Amino acid sequence: MSACVPTRHNRTSRSSRPPRASGVKRPHSPPPPRGGRFRIAGADLSASITVFLLAVPMSLGLAVAMDAPLEAGLISAAIGGIVAGLLGGTPLQVSGPSAGLTVVTAELIQIYGWRTTCAITIGAGLLQILLGSLRAARSALAVSPAIVHGTLAGIGVAIALAQLHIVLGGSPQSSAVANALALPDQLGRVSPAAPLIGTLTITVLILWPRIPGRVGRSVRRIPAALAAVVTATAVAAIVAPGIARVDLPSWRSHALPEMPHGPVLALATAVFTVMLVASLESLLAAVAVDKLSADRAVGQTAARPGTGSAPPPTSATPALALALPSGTSAPAPSLALPARRSDLDRELRAQGIANTLSGLVGGLAVSGGAVRSSANVRAGATGRASTVLHGVWVLLATGLLVTVLEWIPLAALAALVMMVGIQMVSFAHIRNVHKHREFLVYGATITGVVLFGVLKGVAIGIAVAVTVALHRLARTRITVTDQGGRHLVVVRGQLTFLAVPRLSRTLGQLPQGGDAVVELDGFFMDHAAYEAIQGWSTAQTAHGGRVVFTGRSGGRIAEPASAAHSCCRPWTPWRNHHCHDEPGRAPETSHDLAPDPGLGKRSTGTGRTRRATNTGSTDSTAHISPTDRDANRPADHPADRPASHDASHDMTIDSPGNAPTPAPAPEAPRLAGGNRLISGLSSFQRNTAPLVRDELARLAVEGQRPSQLFITCADSRLVTSMITASGPGDLFTVRNIGNLVPLPDAESGDHSVGAAIEYAVDVLKVESITVCGHSGCGAMQALLGGEPDRDSPPTSLWRWLRHGLPSLERMASRHHAWARISGRLPTDALEQLCLTNVVQQLDHLRAHESVARRLAEGTIRLHGMYFHVGEAQAYLLTEGASSGLELDEVFDRVDPGDAPGSGELERTGV
């Protein structure tokens, strides 16, 4: 009953890892440098100007929101851009004043003053450098997303409440609660000028990205934040000349940090809070930039010549569009480079260095910003040059544009920051946490941050998350039903030590020596629960009772005693097929349960006796002799064949009388390379052949009568019998490079595939034909890469791949709708071609005379299928599109609960 997870016993040592010079990159490694010089591309220069125009009003607005010196916002923007841009592990991320630290910094300035707050920023930066050096960045993202997003949302609520007072012409209070309580009084003494300018700023922010037509495409190149502030400034100069404006003091009066004064514990808490919020905001922004960069690379790949226009942006695009330069795009190269993942530890160290320097020169705390970074990616930046240049422009602006900046109304900056705070409460995040049943954690974190502050709010969120997790672990439902002489005990949920008292009490109330069926519906059982059930089962057996353990579907569960120490589980023999070759590993013997007509019947409703067999390296297979078949079924019905893995065979309890004795374990070295074939054949003869010998003998006498022709790729990752849950005699399979079906042309056609089609359709009389493509197909990738040089002689591979050129032409054609996966667009051009190729090969299949004849008779059906290898997920082409009757080519997801029906493959498990 162990929850043994397959492990690797031969761990790779550090010395065996590939060197950095080998070109093999570790996960989240920084991209290899392309040259020794700092290169500036034209796209980076234009993107830096876009981000600069966005960063200046944002930096001033955040400084106003924090009640900090206004020049401190510009200093932190310049340092964040230059220092974090040069040293960071996310080249396209733009750092600057932290929106997430607005409430925290404002509180620190009120308590300790500005100079001590700068010292706290220095301490937080040094702590970030330490954590980055200890490679702790990745572990910071292990916090529940509900807590992280709840923290940012709570900060956003506090920001919005504080800035609303400035928009209304007043001053913010010391806390979010105080701001909420003071709001009615502020509304009673509102002045008209500030609300007018604030409303105008918000209106421009919302409407600017939505300007239609050619004019809209042109003006949207200007960031909405800049357009809103400029418009509000111009209107305020005319209609409200006396409104409060930005006041940049002389640099001679700029305050630098001092040695902090105050309780040590309170100062340490402040340093930790600043570090925590700034780090989480930066790391989350880095992950978001990775996704945005990947989306852009996909769009550029799909938009290259010959593949049509780029697909629209996916839902992964951040929702902070109000402040972004909508409509901007990078010049798409002919082939987009693959998106590189961030080095989060390097990014954390760079943020720490930037915070340390910002605090030393009297700037605000720095973090990576989602708004600025999204603008940078969407403006077409290709490297860190745009981030660094944006910091240089901010630095120049602080000295050259002081007079211009002092015209900006404070109400316009407050409205801009208020919109940023509102956008931090993401409805997409709310839907996501609700879908994963974590809304209680999310809501508790928001409430805690708003009422008690960031650090206490995070602590409350963690406490609620732990409580919810313990509640779910302990939420085990146990019911007992008397079925006339025997008892059915149904256990729903996870069996942990928390459920042991109720479980033991329920089992103890059953009559001793009686028959019982225990149905276990859960994927985890700890040692305490195992011991409780095993002890009760032993006592029942000793008193003459019979105990049968089943899964939810009613199938019996059987596990040898040695399985608790084995890395091989019954449902994953193909993954650990070399387990028995490990030193000291013995092949595990099979175990037979005594037949019991009354207990443990399968859900098929038949009462025939089964022998549940379980080995350490083969499937749990229910073997039935040919004479036990139902008389009303054909001899080769798939239900009578050795079944592949069923999810009900997922756990075992045996009474001591039935426990098997494992065979002695001879010491044997692990086999590899060419010896793997001999090892696999030996394992088959030892473990599997005895289970399937009778069935294969029957098929040898009766001949093959498959129900399907299955045409798929020769890719080694595509195991047809596994993904279709089929057995011997079910599928007539044709495999080739790219699952291609050449047209039946006398000169250019392929007679091998054509012969297989004719034999399956005319001789074997199959009832359906399936063309199955898959993700990451190398053949489709080769087609996307283009044909080789025409001067060189064609290879056998390319002569074959020419049969796939119609698929490439179909994808680029304007006369055919793109194939889609229900619920989402294809992730890139490669997946789009893999889907289109399945549809095109179905058209080729209909051109074969034998297939066309059977289709006209209505005696055969065609199916299109796509298998995503990484997700282990099958998709079926809609029936109308499979029949060639519809233009809507959509591949629908096959869910575990789907029953065979009109649009699915019969009896093959998909």
Side-chain angles (χ1 to χ4, degrees):
M1 199 184 297
S2 65
C4 174
V5 178
T7 57
R8 295 179 181 175
H9 297 276
N10 297 332
R11 300 185 182 274
T12 305
S13 63
R14 290 183 179 269
S15 60
S16 65
R17 294 178 181 173
R20 292 184 182 271
S22 66
V24 179
K25 299 197 296 291
R26 298 189 181 104
H28 294 285
S29 62
R34 297 187 177 184
R37 295 181 299 173
F38 184 75
R39 300 182 179 181
I40 301 176
D44 291 329
L45 182 60
S46 61
S48 68
I49 297 174
T50 299
V51 179
F52 158 71
L53 295 176
L54 171 65
V56 170
M58 287 286 295
S59 302
L60 292 174
L62 290 174
V64 171
M66 299 176 189
D67 197 22
L70 297 185
E71 68 273 15
L74 298 175
I75 291 174
S76 59
I79 291 178
I82 298 173
V83 177
L86 283 173
L87 305 178
T90 311
L92 299 183
Q93 174 160 279
V94 182
S95 299
S98 171
L101 283 171
T102 302
V103 179
V104 176
T105 305
E107 184 179 359
L108 292 178
I109 293 174
Q110 286 185 352
I111 297 175
Y112 300 108
W114 170 245
R115 300 182 67 185
T116 299
T117 301
C118 292
I120 292 173
T121 301
I122 296 173
L126 294 175
L127 189 55
Q128 284 180 307
I129 297 173
L130 175 63
L131 293 177
S133 302
L134 296 176
R135 310 187 68 82
R138 177 58 53 186
S139 61
L141 296 181
V143 180
S144 170
I147 298 175
V148 175
H149 296 310
T151 301
L152 296 179
I155 292 172
V157 171
I159 292 174
L161 286 173
Q163 297 311 295
L164 182 58
H165 282 272
I166 299 179
V167 171
L168 295 176
S171 300
Q173 305 299 314
S174 59
S175 65
V177 176
N179 282 319
L181 295 176
L183 193 57
D185 182 61
Q186 180 64 53
L187 290 172
R189 50 187 177 85
V190 65
S191 60
L196 174 65
I197 298 302
T199 302
L200 177 63
T201 304
I202 295 173
T203 303
V204 176
L205 278 173
I206 296 175
L207 297 181
W208 190 262
R210 295 170 172 80
I211 299 177
R214 183 177 302 177
V215 176
R217 287 195 298 271
S218 300
V219 301
R220 284 199 300 267
R221 296 183 181 275
I222 302 173
L226 178 64
V229 172
V230 170
T231 303
T233 301
V235 172
I238 299 173
V239 303
I243 195 172
R245 302 178 188 272
V246 169
D247 183 15
L248 288 174
S250 171
W251 285 104
R252 296 176 182 176
S253 61
H254 181 64
L256 297 177
E258 65 178 1
M259 290 299 296
H261 301 286
V264 176
L265 182 59
L267 290 172
T269 302
V271 169
F272 180 79
T273 303
V274 173
M275 181 277 302
L276 177 66
V277 177
S279 299
L280 285 177
E281 191 174 12
S282 299
L283 296 178
L284 287 174
V287 174
V289 168
D290 281 347
K291 295 179 180 178
L292 202 61
S293 302
D295 290 343
R296 186 179 69 175
V298 169
Q300 291 174 355
T301 302
R304 62 183 184 164
T307 60
S309 60
T314 64
S315 59
T317 303
L320 301 171
L322 295 177
L324 301 183
S326 303
T328 60
S329 61
S334 59
L335 279 175
L337 294 174
R340 299 190 179 107
R341 300 178 69 185
S342 301
D343 184 339
L344 298 183
D345 293 301
R346 177 179 174 181
E347 181 65 32
L348 186 58
R349 291 194 298 270
Q351 295 293 334
I353 296 173
N355 272 316
T356 302
L357 293 178
S358 181
L360 284 172
V361 298
L364 296 172
V366 171
S367 72
V371 176
R372 295 181 293 263
S373 302
S374 301
N376 191 38
V377 175
R378 294 182 59 181
T382 61
R384 61 181 76 245
S386 64
T387 303
V388 176
L389 286 176
H390 127 273
V392 174
W393 307 144
V394 173
L395 191 62
L396 293 176
T398 57
L400 303 179
L401 299 178
V402 174
T403 304
V404 175
L405 297 178
E406 289 182 338
W407 278 92
I408 300 175
L410 292 180
L413 295 179
L416 175 64
V417 177
M418 185 178 72
M419 291 302 295
V420 172
I422 293 173
Q423 291 166 355
M424 291 173 72
V425 186
S426 171
F427 289 103
H429 293 155
I430 293 175
R431 287 193 301 268
N432 197 32
V433 298
H434 184 269
K435 180 176 67 176
H436 291 89
R437 298 187 302 166
E438 292 184 317
F439 186 78
L440 180 62
V441 179
Y442 182 83
T445 307
I446 291 180
T447 305
V449 170
V450 172
L451 295 180
F452 307 109
V454 174
L455 198 59
K456 293 179 180 178
V458 171
I460 291 173
I462 294 175
V464 173
V466 172
T467 303
V468 170
L470 290 176
H471 173 71
R472 288 174 179 171
L473 282 176
R475 189 182 178 184
T476 305
R477 291 175 295 171
I478 306 173
T479 60
V480 179
T481 305
D482 190 351
Q483 296 184 335
R486 67 171 182 176
H487 290 81
L488 173 64
V489 182
V490 179
V491 182
R492 297 279 187 264
Q494 316 318 315
L495 279 173
T496 66
F497 66 94
L498 298 173
V500 168
R502 286 192 294 120
L503 178 64
S504 299
R505 183 170 59 253
T506 302
L507 295 178
Q509 292 174 354
L510 298 179
Q512 287 190 345
D515 295 340
V517 176
V518 181
E519 181 180 317
L520 302 173
D521 178 24
F523 59 84
F524 177 76
M525 176 184 295
D526 68 3
H527 188 71
Y530 173 85
E531 291 292 344
I533 294 181
Q534 184 70 28
W536 171 79
S537 174
T538 302
Q540 285 290 99
T541 306
H543 286 83
R546 295 187 59 83
V547 179
V548 175
F549 293 89
T550 71
R552 187 167 191 174
S553 64
R556 286 196 196 178
I557 300 171
E559 174 184 87
S562 59
H565 309 287
S566 170
C567 70
C568 291
R569 299 291 290 176
W571 54 90
T572 56
W574 54 273
R575 187 188 189 291
N576 294 290
H577 53 77
H578 58 274
C579 280
H580 57 276
D581 295 326
E582 295 287 344
R585 178 78 60 198
E588 295 165 358
T589 59
S590 63
H591 171 55
D592 295 346
L593 285 178
D596 184 359
L599 299 177
K601 292 180 182 178
R602 296 298 302 264
S603 57
T604 55
T606 60
R608 57 184 177 275
T609 302
R610 290 177 179 259
R611 180 168 56 91
T613 308
N614 183 3
T615 65
S617 59
T618 61
D619 284 342
S620 254
T621 305
H623 173 76
I624 310 164
S625 113
T627 58
D628 290 332
R629 286 189 206 95
D630 292 346
N632 59 350
R633 288 215 303 255
D636 63 342
H637 196 282
D640 285 335
R641 295 178 185 149
S644 61
H645 159 62
D646 189 298
S648 62
H649 298 276
D650 58 352
M651 198 167 57
T652 298
I653 299 178
D654 280 339
S655 60
N658 290 332
T661 302
E667 293 290 336
R670 178 178 177 178
L671 303 177
N675 291 333
R676 181 65 58 80
L677 174 63
I678 301 175
S679 171
L681 292 173
S682 175
S683 175
F684 169 79
Q685 295 299 145
R686 178 175 62 250
N687 298 313
T688 308
L691 306 178
V692 299
R693 184 170 286 118
D694 291 343
E695 181 69 10
L696 290 178
R698 181 185 66 82
L699 290 173
V701 173
E702 298 177 359
Q704 63 166 329
R705 279 184 279 178
S707 60
Q708 276 197 74
L709 168 60
F710 201 83
I711 303 174
T712 189
C713 186
D715 193 293
S716 61
R717 299 166 295 180
L718 211 63
V719 185
T720 56
S721 60
M722 179 182 69
I723 65 176
T724 61
S726 56
D730 285 341
L731 302 181
F732 187 75
T733 306
V734 175
R735 304 188 68 147
N736 59 54
I737 302 296
N739 49 273
L740 301 178
V741 180
L743 288 168
D745 186 271
E747 297 181 1
S748 62
D750 179 85
H751 301 298
S752 172
V753 178
I757 293 172
E758 289 183 15
Y759 185 78
V761 173
D762 293 336
V763 179
L764 298 177
K765 304 294 184 182
V766 296
E767 300 171 359
S768 65
I769 305 177
T770 301
V771 177
C772 176
H774 68 96
S775 61
C777 182
M780 299 300 104
Q781 196 164 11
L783 286 173
L784 283 175
E787 292 193 60
D789 188 2
R790 295 183 180 274
D791 296 334
S792 59
T795 63
S796 298
L797 178 60
W798 267 106
R799 280 196 294 269
W800 170 255
L801 287 180
R802 285 173 183 170
H803 295 302
L805 292 178
S807 301
L808 198 61
E809 296 170 0
R810 184 189 188 102
M811 188 175 77
S813 172
R814 296 181 180 272
H815 302 291
H816 294 281
W818 275 11
R820 307 189 308 278
I821 292 182
S822 65
R824 68 173 176 86
L825 291 170
T827 56
D828 52 21
L830 175 58
E831 184 170 61
Q832 180 63 65
L833 183 56
C834 292
L835 297 171
T836 303
N837 182 59
V838 172
V839 181
Q840 183 65 35
Q841 301 315 310
L842 287 173
D843 284 352
H844 290 182
L845 197 58
R846 296 185 194 97
H848 284 258
E849 180 182 356
S850 57
V851 177
R853 184 180 64 255
R854 291 279 304 276
L855 285 173
E857 297 171 356
T859 58
I860 197 170
R861 298 171 65 183
L862 305 185
H863 302 282
M865 175 178 165
Y866 176 75
F867 186 75
H868 195 291
V869 177
E871 297 175 356
Q873 178 62 54
Y875 298 85
L876 281 178
L877 185 63
T878 52
E879 188 174 7
S882 295
S883 304
L885 301 177
E886 292 182 6
L887 294 178
D888 192 15
E889 298 164 359
V890 179
F891 286 78
D892 287 330
R893 176 189 180 99
V894 179
D895 293 322
D898 288 346
S902 59
E904 302 174 15
L905 306 185
E906 300 82 5
R907 298 301 304 169
T908 58
V910 295

